[in-house]
Every structure is written in C-alpha cells, then in structure tokens.
Amino acid sequence: MTGGSSGIVSEALPTGTVSNMPWRKAGVQHNHNEIYIDIVEEIDAIVSGDGSLLTSDVMGSIQAQSNLSGVPDLILTFNDASLIDDCSFHPCVRYSRFERDKVVSFVPPDGPFELMRYRVQMSGAGGSHLPIGNMPIQVIPRISYGRFGLDGDKVGSNSDIGGRISLTVTARSISSLIYSASRKGPLVIEDVAVVIPFPKFVKTANLNVTLGQVIYDEAGKIAKWVIGKLDEKQRPQLNGTMILEDGSEPGSSKGQSTAASSSDGEQPPLLVTWKILLASVSGLNVNGLSVTGEHYKPYKGVRNITKSGTFQIRCH
C-alpha cells in the first residue's frame, strides 16, 4: 500500500494559509458549493470466442470533482474497506489516518482530480471475482478465411479466396455486477464499441451492421463498430466479407485467432469498450462524506461506474 506522505497535511485544519498544501489555491470561492465522487472500476479481461472468461483483473479509482469554497476538510468512509487492496493516494490524503482508521481524510484540490486508486480483492475459483460467463456483455465472433462460393460456404480450389466475418453483441443482466439501490429500469450498457483488427493479408473489408455505425480504416486494417447504448432486447450484428491481398491464400490456421499480433498473419483479438452506470464489481460504496472547516452545506453526489479496461475477445 502506498500513498502521499502524512507529513504533507497536518492533522489540524490550516489557519490563514494553504502554503503547506501546494495542490490548493488560496481564496477559492464558488457560488454553488458541491462535490461529486465517482467510484470507477475497470475490468481487464480475456474472453474466449464462446463467451468463457479466461482471465480477469479489476482496478478501481475514485474520481472527484470539487467545487468547494475556502479550505474544507473532508472525511470519506466506505461500507467495507476490506474490499480494496494495494491503494495509492493523491498527496492531499492523510495516509496515516487511512492506515489507522480506514477512512480517507483530505483537503481537496479545486476542480477535478483522482483521489485514490486501488485493486479489487479477488475471490472465488481461480482467484476470479467474476464467475465464468458472467460478464455483463457478450460478443460472439465468427471469422474465417479461405475459398468461398457464391453462397458463402467454403468450397474447392476454383472458388474465390476471401474471408467472412459475423459478430453478435448482447447485454446480459444476469452478471456478477452489484447494482446500486438507486438504479431503476432494465440494464443499459453505454458507450459500446468493438474494434476489429484484421491480419496483414486482408486488403479491404465490406462490413454492414444492424445497429450503430462501422468504419473501416484500410491503411491501418482496423474496423471500429460504434454501437452506443445497448439493452437486453437488442442483439446487434455485424456481417461482412474480406478481400485478401494478391497472392494471399491463408490456410485453415489463418481462420483461427490467438493473442498474436497481425504480423504473424493471424486474426488478432477484438477489443470491446463499454460502461455501466450505478454498478460495481466489488460492491464498494461510500457510507458517508462529511465536510468540516466551513459553514456551508455543500451538495454531494456519489455514484458507481463499471467499465471496460483492456477487454479482449479471442476469435476461434
């Protein structure tokens, strides 16, 4: 566990000066005093082509937006501090107080800042907090290269050489995420996008989608499918064909994907981005946020966000 030096901030409120707090300007004034706290947890994962979770890791951060006048002193408490590990803090945090009481005591900078980072304590079989198949989003890819007839089936040596791609994306409410009590309505996943890197032997791709927009970068040999918002009722699909570089005739092994780079002539993994508001992996919540040292009562907003980190889908 690491953090800022406890000597940077005195345990008593500073009087008349903030020279011992280089992160905060003197004389800060706001017409509306408010502070917003986002608990953001990012899932790094490798998922197989059939939807099975192969590896996962979850890192969290607490992002703050402070618009508070004067020199406020804040104490942030959690519902269960044992859920987090390997913490690092902004220099404004009194590290010794967290070590002793497991509360975050600080005089905040003015404006947006990252209060702390942490790793989610993993549990369960194989050290994973998320059981296999319980991700909130599922992407099923079907990518193959070879000789195809007019009907799209692989045929003999007299047919055209090319590739076929089909992707299906679904939202899954039956997941291991823990939803906030304030969440209303069905599951909605926001900012959904799929990046599809193609091997070097692919010359161009003709892609169509049932929802959103897809753009193919021929120079970079990368397609980006932007879906946007996704709910359980939708099953957006991407379908398309690929034209290969002259002289390319990949064998059946080219249709199998690994985590290898496209320089090997193999199908690289897909990269998926997404975000779910009012949801967390760990279940970490803010129990309380007190403000002392000033006479006003600020507006305080707290929410959980779960999002993708490096979220890869292997294609096979």
Side-chain angles (χ1 to χ4, degrees), residues 52-104:
S52 298
L53 180 63
L54 301 177
T55 66
S56 68
D57 191 29
V58 184
M59 296 297 296
S61 67
I62 296 184
Q63 306 292 330
Q65 171 73 45
S66 175
N67 302 319
L68 300 175
S69 303
V71 187
D73 200 287
L74 281 66
I75 294 179
L76 180 70
T77 59
F78 300 114
N79 62 327
D80 186 358
S82 69
L83 295 170
I84 61 179
D85 192 17
D86 194 21
C87 303
S88 61
F89 299 94
H90 187 280
C92 70
V93 175
R94 299 180 178 102
Y95 180 59
S96 60
R97 182 72 186 276
F98 184 82
E99 283 267 271
R100 184 178 70 245
D101 301 326
K102 299 304 179 186
V103 301
V104 182

Side-chain angles (χ1 to χ4, degrees), residues 217-259:
D217 176 5
E218 193 162 313
K221 300 186 185 298
I222 294 176
K224 185 173 184 180
W225 178 17
V226 178
I227 298 173
K229 291 186 177 181
L230 178 68
D231 61 38
E232 290 182 278
K233 295 180 180 180
Q234 299 166 308
R235 293 178 60 88
Q237 292 185 330
L238 177 148
N239 294 286
T241 59
M242 290 82 81
I243 298 174
L244 309 188
E245 296 284 359
D246 293 340
S248 296
E249 187 172 354
S252 59
S253 63
K254 299 296 185 183
Q256 302 298 319
S257 173
T258 68

Side-chain angles (χ1 to χ4, degrees), residues 4-10 14 17-26 28 66 70-74 89-95 105-115:
S5 170
S6 60
I8 293 178
V9 184
S10 64
T17 178
V18 289
S19 60
N20 63 331
M21 293 179 286
W23 57 85
R24 187 168 183 88
K25 297 180 294 184
V28 175
S66 175
V71 187
D73 200 287
L74 281 66
F89 299 94
H90 187 280
C92 70
V93 175
R94 299 180 178 102
Y95 180 59
S105 175
F106 62 104
V107 175
D110 189 49
F113 67 101
E114 182 175 272
L115 181 64

Side-chain angles (χ1 to χ4, degrees), residues 169-189:
V169 182
T170 55
R172 307 177 67 195
S173 63
I174 304 176
S175 73
S176 294
L177 295 184
I178 300 171
Y179 296 101
S180 302
S182 58
R183 177 177 171 268
K184 306 294 183 183
L187 171 67
V188 176
I189 306 178

Side-chain angles (χ1 to χ4, degrees), residues 122-257:
M122 306 301 275
S123 62
S128 175
H129 186 83
L130 293 170
I132 288 178
N134 279 20
M135 286 293 177
I137 190 169
Q138 186 175 59
V139 180
I140 302 297
R142 296 287 182 267
I143 303 176
S144 59
Y145 300 97
R147 293 182 176 273
F148 295 88
L150 294 177
D151 58 0
D153 293 332
K154 283 191 175 183
V155 292
S157 59
N158 293 327
S159 55
D160 292 333
I161 302 171
R164 297 286 187 271
I165 182 171
S166 175
L167 304 181
T168 303
V169 182
T170 55
R172 307 177 67 195
S173 63
I174 304 176
S175 73
S176 294
L177 295 184
I178 300 171
Y179 296 101
S180 302
S182 58
R183 177 177 171 268
K184 306 294 183 183
L187 171 67
V188 176
I189 306 178
E190 300 183 6
D191 299 341
V192 179
V194 182
V195 174
I196 311 162
F198 288 97
K200 287 187 175 180
F201 57 74
V202 172
K203 181 178 182 180
T204 189
N206 180 24
L207 307 172
N208 297 286
V209 296
T210 61
L211 181 67
Q213 182 181 25
V214 62
I215 298 175
Y216 177 68
D217 176 5
E218 193 162 313
K221 300 186 185 298
I222 294 176
K224 185 173 184 180
W225 178 17
V226 178
I227 298 173
K229 291 186 177 181
L230 178 68
D231 61 38
E232 290 182 278
K233 295 180 180 180
Q234 299 166 308
R235 293 178 60 88
Q237 292 185 330
L238 177 148
N239 294 286
T241 59
M242 290 82 81
I243 298 174
L244 309 188
E245 296 284 359
D246 293 340
S248 296
E249 187 172 354
S252 59
S253 63
K254 299 296 185 183
Q256 302 298 319
S257 173

